[in-house]
Amino acid sequence: MSDIVDIRERLAAVRQDHLLRFYDELSPDGRRNLLAQIESLDLRAVPDLIERYVRHRPREHVPDDLSPAPCYPRSGRGWDRSGAREAGESLLRAGRVAAFTVAGGQGTRLGFDGPKGVYIGSAVSGKPLFQCLADWIIAAQRRYGSRIPWYIMTSPLNHAATVGFFEAHNYCGLDQRDVMCFQQGVMPTFEMGTGRILLAAKGEVATNPDGHGGSLRALNASGALEDMRSRGVEHISYTQIDNPLVRVIDPVFLGLHAAAADSSGEMSSKMVPKAHAGEKVGVFCRGEGKTRVIEYSDMPEELSRETGPDGSLRFNAGSIAVHVIGRRFIERLNSAEMVVSHTASNAPEGSPGRFALPYHRAEKKTPHVDIGSGMLVEPTAANAVKLETFVFDAIPLAERSIVLETDRCEEFAPIKNAEGADSPRTCREIQTERAARWLEVAGVKVPRRPDGSPDCTLEISPLTAMDPEDLFTCGKLPARVSAGDAIAL
Ligand code: UTP
């Protein structure tokens, strides 16, 4: 480790020497920890990041030639759904597929103190989100008679709690050898206005996880990619932790990604039609010859509102953060051949083996130690800038990328906020609606209110049915559902 004089000089060179303001007050261990934390930061990149993202609100790059991205329609019209399913199923039977969940986020909007995966996800039985996703993997392993390893990305802020959860819960019923938790990287958190890196405590730099885009580097750095290679895994089914309805393993999507003529098998995505023009989801577009996601906040307003001849939104393909990613694609991104050639990157210009995802800026309320008084400050308004990369920014790095349409109610019930949209309440409602539809397909009458919503709470585990047809043979169908019932199947 470099000595304190050297680190102080390097910090002074980038105007961050205030990070050592309380160094003399720390214990020997505290000093060591602080210096190790500072050394792990890429200090050379700091002045450029501050200039570009902290002092100014950067304008994101939006191509001039945006058009809606073509999508494989949910109806199956014009493409071979059963052929895609067969291709996906044979990959699953051969053990070529891994599940990957990003769970390193801070969940600040939900306000839950702990990893979000520990938060209750299922509508009736109260299963944690981790268990909801694990049940899909267990069901798929049973159906395809193969092992599906599960890689979970945590952050330094929630890693120990996540690992502790899996240890205490028997790996959610999975084989311990098939569950691997690894940590993503962090970025320093900057004070808005001044660009000073904040101190979380006198001996601790304030940091934030580097975004779900950090997964593409962390998969490599953690050894997870190597582990996949040794198991013969070729494709990675990417999901977020906050959506208990997600089809963690979807043979149709996997097969389309791997075998469709217009897919390079590198990175594919699912979309749902936007609920309305102003919905806060990224939109799949084509621009500069590539498929890409444009964030809702960057999408030109007039394009967001544009409608086609039938009155539907022209830019309608909302991202639900579900992807299949080829293992080789991530290897290529991390390989020495991939040379950073533009400056909107998180790696020094021209450095080999460090691919470029742009940073996105978020303004946050971050508690910190006041440099003058040494007191802890709990801000009441946003005081800090957090920089993150987003995984969907890798889509244009793929040669050819496809998008598959799916039904919101079948696969998308995220828990983001404590109340209102995308909250535990809406998540329960969507799970109930999906279960009601499936039960109705199976001939069970479900009580509905005058507005059409089910007058009950329902949940169907993937262990009971992965598709509505499975209900016919599950042996658990209720004879009837009454108003006010809460039923978990
Ligand atoms: P969100 O964008 O919803 O962020 O993450 P969040 O941190 O969970 O919640 P807020 O914004 O603080 O309220 C979407 C998914 O990406 C993961 C999250 O765990 C979630 O599954 N994620 C996000 C990471 O794994 N790492 C990150 O750095 C950010």
Side-chain angles (χ1 to χ4, degrees), residues 102-109 116 153 184 209-212 240-242 364 388 416:
V102 289
Q106 291 172 294
T108 39
R109 283 170 289 172
K116 216 190 244 189
M153 186 174 79
Q184 66 179 112
D210 60 1
H212 38 64
Q240 300 193 153
I241 190 54
D242 53 20
K364 296 278 170 184
E388 295 181 313
K416 299 278 187 197

Side-chain angles (χ1 to χ4, degrees), residues 243-375:
N243 178 12
L245 218 47
V246 70
R247 298 180 81 86
V248 180
I249 296 296
D250 181 347
V252 174
F253 185 34
L254 280 161
L256 204 58
H257 157 88
D262 56 348
S263 167
S264 57
E266 293 177 295
M267 186 157 177
S268 306
S269 314
K270 278 191 182 173
M271 73 84 161
V272 298
K274 279 177 67 173
H276 53 86
E279 192 185 8
K280 292 183 174 175
V281 288
V283 175
F284 290 100
C285 299
R286 290 282 296 175
E288 294 169 355
K290 293 285 190 177
T291 298
R292 55 184 74 232
V293 172
I294 304 291
E295 269 282 82
Y296 62 89
S297 45
D298 302 324
M299 192 75 187
E301 166 106 21
E302 61 286 4
L303 293 188
S304 288
R305 305 203 165 278
E306 217 170 271
T307 49
D310 64 352
S312 64
L313 291 174
R314 207 170 145 247
F315 288 88
N316 197 27
S319 171
I320 56 168
V322 175
H323 305 281
V324 178
I325 310 177
R327 190 201 76 221
R328 286 195 184 80
F329 178 55
I330 307 180
E331 286 171 352
R332 177 166 77 78
L333 293 181
N334 284 284
S335 77
E337 294 148 36
M338 195 77 190
V339 176
V340 174
S341 57
H342 66 86
T343 52
S345 96
N346 46 10
E349 176 86 3
S351 55
R354 304 282 305 270
F355 58 98
L357 295 185
Y359 281 112
H360 296 260
R361 165 191 161 119
E363 297 178 4
K364 296 278 170 184
K365 274 192 269 184
T366 303
H368 61 98
V369 169
D370 179 72
I371 292 300
S373 67
M375 304 290 283

